[in-house]
Amino acid sequence: MARLLAAVSDGAPGLIRAIEECFPRSARQRCLAHKLRNLQSKVPEDQWPEFKVRAIACYQAASPALARLLRDDMVSTYGAALPSALACLQDDFEACIAHLRFPLAHRRAIRTTNMLEWLFGEERRRTKVSRMPSANAPYSN
């Protein structure tokens, strides 16, 4: 029988609970694109470029252990200045680095839901029925 190895989701509590209940042996990966958007909303614009580079370094580290070290360094660096951003960074951190347990070739595909969201959007766009004017409707310019 096949087993689901990883499930990728945003931070919706209901979806997280469903994944954990229905697929308890699967890794749950938090979508990093969504997580970075959440972080950006908590960091001042002038500090965001440096914070973003450091957050991405955590999420794309060579190993989970290195990711945790980089996270701890961010906590010591930004602790007093950006408490809400660091709380967001630490929230669900293990799910943000779940992809690091997989082969390097697979990591890019499983660390975000953006490709899946793009495909859903494309499907909606291509199957959207355009409304034709009725025979009785006046033409408008």
Side-chain angles (χ1 to χ4, degrees):
M1 180 197 293
R3 174 171 96 91
L4 181 68
L5 297 177
V8 185
S9 72
D10 61 11
L15 189 53
I16 291 171
R17 190 171 49 253
I19 291 169
E20 290 172 347
E21 288 178 14
C22 295
F23 307 105
R25 296 181 356 181
S26 300
R28 182 179 59 82
Q29 171 65 43
R30 175 80 181 260
C31 175
L32 294 181
H34 285 99
K35 187 64 164 183
L36 286 171
R37 285 185 216 130
N38 293 346
L39 284 169
Q40 185 175 11
S41 71
K42 297 177 183 340
V43 178
E45 198 173 315
D46 62 320
Q47 292 181 293
W48 175 241
E50 179 185 339
F51 193 94
K52 178 183 177 184
V53 166
R54 293 183 72 174
I56 289 173
C58 289
Y59 298 144
Q60 296 180 9
S63 70
L66 180 58
R68 291 181 198 102
L69 285 173
L70 293 170
R71 177 207 51 204
D72 293 345
D73 184 54
M74 286 185 73
V75 169
S76 66
T77 302
Y78 296 105
L82 302 170
S84 65
L86 290 175
C88 182
L89 178 76
Q90 294 180 87
D91 176 48
D92 219 10
F93 187 78
E94 291 302 314
C96 290
I97 63 169
H99 70 283
L100 298 178
R101 292 183 271 160
F102 291 88
L104 189 59
H106 298 174
R107 291 179 186 179
R108 185 169 184 196
I110 62 174
R111 68 180 179 225
T112 182
T113 60
N114 277 0
M115 182 56 84
L116 185 59
E117 290 175 13
W118 177 82
L119 286 171
F120 286 153
E122 240 345 76
E123 187 273 336
R124 280 192 302 273
R125 184 184 70 80
R126 291 175 187 231
T127 59
K128 185 178 180 180
V129 177
S130 60
R131 295 184 61 190
M132 297 294 292
S134 69
N136 298 334
Y139 288 99
S140 60
N141 291 331

